[in-house]
Amino acid sequence: MKHHVKLRKSVRKQLQKGNVEGTLIQSQPIWVRIFHWGFAFSLTLVILSGLQLHKPASFLALNFSKVLTIHLISCWFALGFLGIRIADALIRKDDSLIPKLQDLKHFPQLMAYYFFLRSSPPPGRKYNSGQLIIYTSWFVLFLVATLLGLASYWEGEHLIWVWRLVGGFQVIRWVKFIVSIYFLATIPVHIYLSITEDISRLQAMVTGYERKPTPNNR
Ligand code: HEM
């Protein structure tokens, strides 16, 4: 018990020390945070309901048309949140999500760092080359899946060229399934890296602010 009290005191001390040191700087604007958590939540629903539609888990005994409704609603939400982020990037003239050649040049060094062959990551902008590659691939694949989804949503009414281009329902199902698997494989990498590398980045994605050491005392 005594030990327990001691521990709590020292934790509190550390926290207070942390409060005095460092400065809070804004690193994630409100619309980026709204997009991030909104998109993360709706995309999770899109993928889970999509898998359920693809191959219903009989032990869940869910009603097909209800799952389809959830799938369609969360797709519209995900698309809406993405629209918010695009508008936000245009208004703020923010190019932090656009990969530049200079970013991609650092990719081998970044991998060397992740595989413990280098002691520090290469210099980068807001997001490193690995993040930029993952985010861009998500953006492209999400739009591909959206286009295919809308082609079946508006079956025979609009986007008939998409239908003709890919060659029918089975191909659409297959492509959307592969895209879901890609998301399922890369989202855990994103979560793992965002909570291990620098936890204050997560703090910024929740509160908007990130704690940086004060330049003059470090
Ligand atoms: C529990 C789950 C998640 C956590 C903890 C998380 C955490 C984070 C953090 C900390 C960042 C900022 C990275 C940095 O500052 O270096 C970030 C950015 C980002 N995350 Fe996540 N994330 C999660 C789920 C997702 C999901 C499911 C998606 C969508 C597939 C996603 C898409 C993105 C995107 C696109 C960005 C860039 C944000 C922008 O500038 O617009 N995240 N995430």
Side-chain angles (χ1 to χ4, degrees), residues 57-68:
S58 50
F59 63 92
L60 288 177
L62 295 174
N63 176 299
F64 186 92
S65 75
K66 280 191 184 134
V67 179
L68 180 61

PDB file of all heavy atoms in Angstrom, residues 57-68:
ATOM      1  N   ALA A  57     -21.953 -14.191 -41.827  1.00  0.00           N
ATOM      2  CA  ALA A  57     -21.596 -15.088 -40.735  1.00  0.00           C
ATOM      3  C   ALA A  57     -22.908 -15.584 -40.147  1.00  0.00           C
ATOM      4  O   ALA A  57     -23.646 -14.815 -39.537  1.00  0.00           O
ATOM      5  CB  ALA A  57     -20.776 -14.343 -39.695  1.00  0.00           C
ATOM      6  N   SER A  58     -23.205 -16.867 -40.338  1.00  0.00           N
ATOM      7  CA  SER A  58     -24.543 -17.344 -39.973  1.00  0.00           C
ATOM      8  C   SER A  58     -24.810 -17.232 -38.472  1.00  0.00           C
ATOM      9  O   SER A  58     -25.934 -16.977 -38.059  1.00  0.00           O
ATOM     10  CB  SER A  58     -24.734 -18.783 -40.443  1.00  0.00           C
ATOM     11  OG  SER A  58     -23.643 -19.555 -40.012  1.00  0.00           O
ATOM     12  N   PHE A  59     -23.747 -17.344 -37.650  1.00  0.00           N
ATOM     13  CA  PHE A  59     -23.984 -17.279 -36.191  1.00  0.00           C
ATOM     14  C   PHE A  59     -24.427 -15.891 -35.747  1.00  0.00           C
ATOM     15  O   PHE A  59     -24.994 -15.725 -34.681  1.00  0.00           O
ATOM     16  CB  PHE A  59     -22.731 -17.721 -35.420  1.00  0.00           C
ATOM     17  CG  PHE A  59     -21.537 -16.820 -35.638  1.00  0.00           C
ATOM     18  CD1 PHE A  59     -21.291 -15.758 -34.775  1.00  0.00           C
ATOM     19  CD2 PHE A  59     -20.665 -17.051 -36.688  1.00  0.00           C
ATOM     20  CE1 PHE A  59     -20.199 -14.935 -34.963  1.00  0.00           C
ATOM     21  CE2 PHE A  59     -19.565 -16.236 -36.889  1.00  0.00           C
ATOM     22  CZ  PHE A  59     -19.340 -15.178 -36.038  1.00  0.00           C
ATOM     23  N   LEU A  60     -24.181 -14.872 -36.592  1.00  0.00           N
ATOM     24  CA  LEU A  60     -24.630 -13.525 -36.243  1.00  0.00           C
ATOM     25  C   LEU A  60     -26.112 -13.335 -36.558  1.00  0.00           C
ATOM     26  O   LEU A  60     -26.775 -12.499 -35.963  1.00  0.00           O
ATOM     27  CB  LEU A  60     -23.818 -12.474 -36.997  1.00  0.00           C
ATOM     28  CG  LEU A  60     -22.377 -12.283 -36.535  1.00  0.00           C
ATOM     29  CD1 LEU A  60     -21.662 -11.273 -37.418  1.00  0.00           C
ATOM     30  CD2 LEU A  60     -22.340 -11.813 -35.084  1.00  0.00           C
ATOM     31  N   ALA A  61     -26.611 -14.104 -37.514  1.00  0.00           N
ATOM     32  CA  ALA A  61     -28.020 -14.052 -37.918  1.00  0.00           C
ATOM     33  C   ALA A  61     -28.509 -12.618 -38.149  1.00  0.00           C
ATOM     34  O   ALA A  61     -29.541 -12.209 -37.625  1.00  0.00           O
ATOM     35  CB  ALA A  61     -28.903 -14.763 -36.884  1.00  0.00           C
ATOM     36  N   LEU A  62     -27.701 -11.828 -38.882  1.00  0.00           N
ATOM     37  CA  LEU A  62     -28.099 -10.444 -39.150  1.00  0.00           C
ATOM     38  C   LEU A  62     -28.966 -10.394 -40.396  1.00  0.00           C
ATOM     39  O   LEU A  62     -28.782 -11.159 -41.327  1.00  0.00           O
ATOM     40  CB  LEU A  62     -26.863  -9.560 -39.339  1.00  0.00           C
ATOM     41  CG  LEU A  62     -25.965  -9.387 -38.120  1.00  0.00           C
ATOM     42  CD1 LEU A  62     -24.710  -8.613 -38.469  1.00  0.00           C
ATOM     43  CD2 LEU A  62     -26.725  -8.685 -37.001  1.00  0.00           C
ATOM     44  N   ASN A  63     -29.870  -9.439 -40.378  1.00  0.00           N
ATOM     45  CA  ASN A  63     -30.778  -9.254 -41.494  1.00  0.00           C
ATOM     46  C   ASN A  63     -30.031  -8.600 -42.658  1.00  0.00           C
ATOM     47  O   ASN A  63     -29.424  -7.533 -42.510  1.00  0.00           O
ATOM     48  CB  ASN A  63     -31.920  -8.363 -40.976  1.00  0.00           C
ATOM     49  CG  ASN A  63     -32.897  -7.989 -42.031  1.00  0.00           C
ATOM     50  OD1 ASN A  63     -32.521  -7.351 -43.016  1.00  0.00           O
ATOM     51  ND2 ASN A  63     -34.146  -8.371 -41.850  1.00  0.00           N
ATOM     52  N   PHE A  64     -30.067  -9.254 -43.821  1.00  0.00           N
ATOM     53  CA  PHE A  64     -29.268  -8.790 -44.966  1.00  0.00           C
ATOM     54  C   PHE A  64     -29.549  -7.337 -45.330  1.00  0.00           C
ATOM     55  O   PHE A  64     -28.624  -6.538 -45.512  1.00  0.00           O
ATOM     56  CB  PHE A  64     -29.513  -9.694 -46.184  1.00  0.00           C
ATOM     57  CG  PHE A  64     -28.626  -9.362 -47.365  1.00  0.00           C
ATOM     58  CD1 PHE A  64     -27.400  -9.998 -47.546  1.00  0.00           C
ATOM     59  CD2 PHE A  64     -29.028  -8.418 -48.309  1.00  0.00           C
ATOM     60  CE1 PHE A  64     -26.582  -9.694 -48.626  1.00  0.00           C
ATOM     61  CE2 PHE A  64     -28.210  -8.102 -49.394  1.00  0.00           C
ATOM     62  CZ  PHE A  64     -26.991  -8.747 -49.547  1.00  0.00           C
ATOM     63  N   SER A  65     -30.829  -6.970 -45.405  1.00  0.00           N
ATOM     64  CA  SER A  65     -31.119  -5.622 -45.892  1.00  0.00           C
ATOM     65  C   SER A  65     -30.706  -4.570 -44.861  1.00  0.00           C
ATOM     66  O   SER A  65     -30.345  -3.452 -45.222  1.00  0.00           O
ATOM     67  CB  SER A  65     -32.582  -5.483 -46.292  1.00  0.00           C
ATOM     68  OG  SER A  65     -33.371  -5.401 -45.153  1.00  0.00           O
ATOM     69  N   LYS A  66     -30.723  -4.944 -43.569  1.00  0.00           N
ATOM     70  CA  LYS A  66     -30.254  -3.986 -42.548  1.00  0.00           C
ATOM     71  C   LYS A  66     -28.757  -3.781 -42.676  1.00  0.00           C
ATOM     72  O   LYS A  66     -28.251  -2.661 -42.565  1.00  0.00           O
ATOM     73  CB  LYS A  66     -30.601  -4.481 -41.141  1.00  0.00           C
ATOM     74  CG  LYS A  66     -32.041  -4.201 -40.793  1.00  0.00           C
ATOM     75  CD  LYS A  66     -32.335  -4.428 -39.322  1.00  0.00           C
ATOM     76  CE  LYS A  66     -33.817  -4.228 -39.085  1.00  0.00           C
ATOM     77  NZ  LYS A  66     -34.391  -5.282 -38.266  1.00  0.00           N
ATOM     78  N   VAL A  67     -28.020  -4.872 -42.912  1.00  0.00           N
ATOM     79  CA  VAL A  67     -26.567  -4.757 -43.081  1.00  0.00           C
ATOM     80  C   VAL A  67     -26.251  -3.918 -44.315  1.00  0.00           C
ATOM     81  O   VAL A  67     -25.359  -3.067 -44.289  1.00  0.00           O
ATOM     82  CB  VAL A  67     -25.899  -6.153 -43.172  1.00  0.00           C
ATOM     83  CG1 VAL A  67     -24.396  -6.024 -43.382  1.00  0.00           C
ATOM     84  CG2 VAL A  67     -26.183  -6.970 -41.926  1.00  0.00           C
ATOM     85  N   LEU A  68     -27.037  -4.127 -45.371  1.00  0.00           N
ATOM     86  CA  LEU A  68     -26.827  -3.335 -46.590  1.00  0.00           C
ATOM     87  C   LEU A  68     -27.074  -1.855 -46.316  1.00  0.00           C
ATOM     88  O   LEU A  68     -26.318  -0.993 -46.754  1.00  0.00           O
ATOM     89  CB  LEU A  68     -27.733  -3.836 -47.723  1.00  0.00           C
ATOM     90  CG  LEU A  68     -27.607  -3.091 -49.052  1.00  0.00           C
ATOM     91  CD1 LEU A  68     -26.191  -3.213 -49.610  1.00  0.00           C
ATOM     92  CD2 LEU A  68     -28.605  -3.616 -50.087  1.00  0.00           C
TER      93      LEU A  68
END
